[in-house]
Amino acid sequence: MAILLAAGASGVHAGETFSSDGVGKGTNETTIEVVGEGHMLMHSVSTYESFESADAKSPYAGMTGKCWGAIEIKAPGASGGGNCVFTGTSGDKNFNSWTVKGLGKDGALIGIWSAIGGTGMFQNSSGGGKFHSLADRETGKFVNTIEGAITLK
């Protein structure tokens, strides 16, 4: 499961709200346990190798990090959740939680994310949004499209 965002651009100021819109890419390590026909449990660790922000000034531009969690897929639905830790180019960390709400028509996990704090510029940050995470089981590669906003305190 691949999920969300984090830190790093210069020129970022407390009290500002930034778009988190962008695309994260990386690799998944997933363990799958089949419960029955169309029903499985997954433990996933996603490593973000890049985040392409729609706004080059966003604190999310250039972030890297990891997300982990557990997901239950019971066709045609899905549920689950986990956490993420991202580090930006400034070295500040952004902590997030994520919740799977279902499956997209393309098989992607869809859900919501929330900022839960961090270090440096992300201390006491707030915000959230939605995600659409599509992974290739054979290669382990994923693309996670993220929308939302974060406010720095």
Side-chain angles (χ1 to χ4, degrees), residues 2-6 17-24 48 51-55 58 60 63 86 94 96-99 109-115 126-133 143-151:
I3 309 292
L4 306 257
L5 355 148
T17 298
F18 292 89
S19 169
S20 65
D21 295 1
V23 177
Y48 280 77
F51 187 81
E52 300 164 10
S53 179
D55 177 0
S58 170
Y60 297 100
M63 68 91 178
F86 294 104
N94 179 230
N96 295 280
S97 64
W98 54 269
T99 304
L109 295 170
I110 55 174
I112 59 172
W113 64 269
S114 297
S126 62
K130 59 186 178 176
F131 66 85
H132 177 276
S133 184
V143 175
N144 188 17
T145 304
I146 300 157
E147 297 178 17
I150 188 167
T151 301

Side-chain angles (χ1 to χ4, degrees), residues 86-144:
F86 294 104
T87 304
T89 58
S90 67
D92 295 340
K93 292 187 177 187
N94 179 230
F95 307 124
N96 295 280
S97 64
W98 54 269
T99 304
V100 173
K101 296 292 190 177
L103 292 173
K105 291 181 182 182
D106 58 357
L109 295 170
I110 55 174
I112 59 172
W113 64 269
S114 297
I116 58 173
T119 65
M121 76 173 89
F122 291 103
Q123 187 173 2
N124 299 316
S125 61
S126 62
K130 59 186 178 176
F131 66 85
H132 177 276
S133 184
L134 187 59
D136 181 327
R137 280 196 205 170
E138 289 187 25
T139 65
K141 299 287 185 186
F142 70 83
V143 175
N144 188 17

Side-chain angles (χ1 to χ4, degrees), residues 66-93:
K66 286 196 182 275
C67 296
W68 60 90
I71 303 147
E72 178 180 16
I73 296 178
K74 194 169 186 180
S79 63
N83 295 97
C84 300
V85 176
F86 294 104
T87 304
T89 58
S90 67
D92 295 340
K93 292 187 177 187

